[in-house]
Amino acid sequence: MKKRVYSGIRATGRLHLGNYLGAVKGMLAVQEQYDCVFAVVDLHTITVPYDPKTLSQSVREIILDYLAAGLDPEKCLLEIQSRVPQHTELAYLLSTIYQVARLEDLPTYKEKKAQYPQYVNMGLLFYPVLMAADIMLYKGDFVPVGIDQEPHLEVTREIARKFNQMFGPTFPEPVRFKTPGEYVPSLAGSGKMSKSIEGSFINLTDDLETIKKRLASAPTDSGTAGGALPKEGGVANLFKMLQLFRADDVYKKYEQDYIAGKIRYSDLKHDLADVIFTELQPFQQRRKEFENNPKRVDEILEKSNEACRKEAEETMGEVRAKMGLV
Ligand code: TYM
């Protein structure tokens, strides 16, 4: 049997380079060989404050980003999580076999609690159980996601193991499908690229001017120190971006300038912007084509979600029977 893959992205805005290199590149690689479902996880999106008036448009933007990036509806299914109600049913059933204390201890839950102290809702605590259900609904073996999702995948494996012990072998224990961009650094100098940190990201839909502007405010140093390249901080992150975009010649040139203590960061940023934009340009052209053809996108979604519901219902039939809910 073909291996199965599931991955999802929240509808919190346009995709940035972190999402692209950490997740979407992995999705593009696996769609060629495995049975894949790639989702916009709108039920996860609503666990933090959001605007119900713009949610469906935000979901649509991610779908357009997926299609423009090259996810091919002939090769994979594109799912909108809330259109497949089996996700929430499976999440509830799985929640009955997992301990609350473990969820309270997860770093992502603690971060969100600190970020939104007035909005510590049940959905937030439930988040990893719903994510486990997402993957398990399709019996996922591989999950193309960035390294930040590893704690959630550990929970998924624990839940799958527990279910199999209690009710008989049913689910694989999924593993992360890794990409070279599993951790894309922030442009703000420290931490990872993230939508919620202003100045940290470049969107896939940014034009050359915007990319240049965003890079211009990335921190560097005086450029006269020389010596070996730093391992962390703003300068290290700019070099990491060159590496992630496989701009080896540009990397070598500026590495030599750095070692010699005569690097000009404005030139490096200019060349990096060009390298990034060159990769994004075909994406942006394809995106326009899909934007101009909403009917085609609706058809893809209709067909894909119908197929997802069918597959999901097969798993649910098996799960309900095994849990004695017949
Ligand atoms: P989300 O929406 O935060 O991020 C989407 C994907 O982008 C990756 N990513 C990064 N990768 C590398 N470097 C970065 N700076 C960076 N920033 C984001 C994330 O690792 C992720 O792959 N919990 C998930 C959504 C989810 C899901 C699922 C994923 C819900 N159910 C089932 C896989 C399978 C999340 O919040 O991703």
Side-chain angles (χ1 to χ4, degrees), residues 31 42 45 63 70 77 110 131 142 153-155 174 179 205 218 244 250 258 268 274 276 284-285 298 321:
Q31 74 170 349
D42 48 355
T45 311
I63 293 288
L77 296 175
K110 287 181 181 161
M131 179 161 160
F142 300 126
L153 285 185
E154 189 53 41
V155 171
T179 64
T205 46
L244 288 171
V250 188
Y258 184 92
L268 185 159
D274 279 343
I276 294 173
Q284 294 179 1
Q285 270 160 9
D298 286 342

Side-chain angles (χ1 to χ4, degrees), residues 7-11 15 19-20 23-24 27 39-42 45 62 66:
S7 191
I9 293 184
R10 287 172 301 147
L15 292 192
N19 305 134
Y20 177 61
V24 178
M27 297 179 190
V40 182
V41 288
D42 48 355
T45 311
I62 306 287
Y66 273 167

Side-chain angles (χ1 to χ4, degrees), residues 199-320:
S200 85
F201 59 86
I202 288 173
N203 286 332
L204 300 191
T205 46
D206 285 345
D207 59 21
L208 184 58
E209 278 321 298
T210 310
I211 296 173
K212 282 187 176 158
K213 226 187 281 159
R214 294 197 197 268
L215 285 175
S217 39
T220 52
D221 55 30
S222 69
T224 54
L229 283 182
K231 296 237 176 328
E232 51 187 40
V235 173
N237 291 351
L238 292 176
F239 275 96
K240 174 97 196 269
M241 293 304 282
L242 282 174
Q243 220 170 27
L244 288 171
F245 282 91
R246 300 173 309 279
D248 297 345
D249 294 346
V250 188
Y251 185 102
K252 273 193 206 118
K253 175 199 177 309
Y254 286 104
E255 184 183 33
Q256 278 162 9
D257 286 355
Y258 184 92
I259 292 167
K262 59 178 181 101
I263 191 167
R264 284 171 52 102
Y265 290 118
S266 54
D267 291 350
L268 185 159
K269 288 176 174 182
H270 185 276
D271 287 352
L272 175 58
D274 279 343
V275 163
I276 294 173
F277 186 63
T278 303
E279 176 142 348
L280 296 188
Q281 227 175 357
F283 161 88
Q284 294 179 1
Q285 270 160 9
R286 273 198 304 269
R287 197 180 199 280
K288 282 212 183 75
E289 286 162 26
F290 283 108
E291 279 168 19
N292 292 334
N293 200 345
K295 220 170 136 233
R296 163 105 183 94
V297 178
D298 286 342
E299 278 165 12
I300 291 169
L301 287 175
E302 202 57 46
K303 213 169 134 200
S304 265
N305 283 296
E306 181 60 38
C308 285
R309 284 189 291 269
K310 200 161 156 265
E311 265 196 47
E313 191 46 33
E314 266 175 40
T315 305
M316 286 317 298
E318 188 183 351
V319 168
R320 289 185 208 109

